[in-house]
Amino acid sequence: MSALAAVLAALVLAGPALASERHPTLGDLESEVMCPTCKTTLDQSNAPIANRIRAFISARIAAGDTKSEIKDKLVLQFGEAVLAAPPKHGFNLLAWVLPFVGVGIGAIVLALLAWRWSRARSPGAAAAGAPLEPELERRVDEELARFEA
């Protein structure tokens, strides 16, 4: 029953994404396309080239192009640097995978260090109240006497 609910939820959530692909708006693409001169997304840029790219996107939307088609045409014109997020294939896939790999490796290293640290401590020494060295015991007694007075 829960699998059916998960499938239905996925279909409901996929609907707007598919509609955005087929019928994009300028706002959808402005945050996904970079200005070639100022290296910010179009929604943050007022450069002349950004305005020309906006006009190009609006014309392509009016012509009925999908989001992917518009992005492909921009990549042909300006190169992959025009995309705010790298494509999820080829060598660029590393930009998507490496952060997760780094977090995973870091978690494993921390877990191993914590396990090793917990095993390195002798469990009976602190609990058994092992005697202190005579000099250290004398200093502790002197400090305690200062506080009691």
Side-chain angles (χ1 to χ4, degrees), residues 40-58:
T40 62
T41 56
L42 290 182
D43 57 359
Q44 298 176 349
S45 177
N46 291 325
I49 187 70
N51 293 331
R52 288 196 299 267
I53 292 173
R54 279 190 202 93
F56 173 79
I57 291 171
S58 295

Side-chain angles (χ1 to χ4, degrees), residues 56-79:
F56 173 79
I57 291 171
S58 295
R60 298 314 319 152
I61 290 171
D65 286 359
T66 65
K67 187 188 277 191
S68 299
E69 291 171 339
I70 295 169
K71 283 183 176 181
D72 289 343
K73 289 175 183 174
L74 288 170
V75 167
L76 284 175
Q77 206 169 10
F78 296 101

Side-chain angles (χ1 to χ4, degrees), residues 84-100:
K88 295 175 183 156
H89 56 81
F91 184 73
N92 291 323
L93 185 61
L94 286 176
W96 292 97
V97 173
L98 282 181
F100 296 110

Side-chain angles (χ1 to χ4, degrees), residues 132-139:
L132 297 175
E133 296 176 16
E135 175 61 26
L136 185 56
E137 189 171 352
R138 183 190 62 75
R139 288 178 55 200

Side-chain angles (χ1 to χ4, degrees), residues 5-47:
V7 169
L8 288 175
L11 289 174
V12 167
L13 294 175
L18 292 174
S20 174
E21 172 62 30
R22 288 190 209 130
H23 306 290
T25 64
L26 180 60
D28 291 339
L29 286 161
E30 277 185 320
S31 62
E32 297 178 15
V33 176
M34 301 291 287
C35 172
T37 57
C38 56
K39 307 295 184 217
T40 62
T41 56
L42 290 182
D43 57 359
Q44 298 176 349
S45 177
N46 291 325

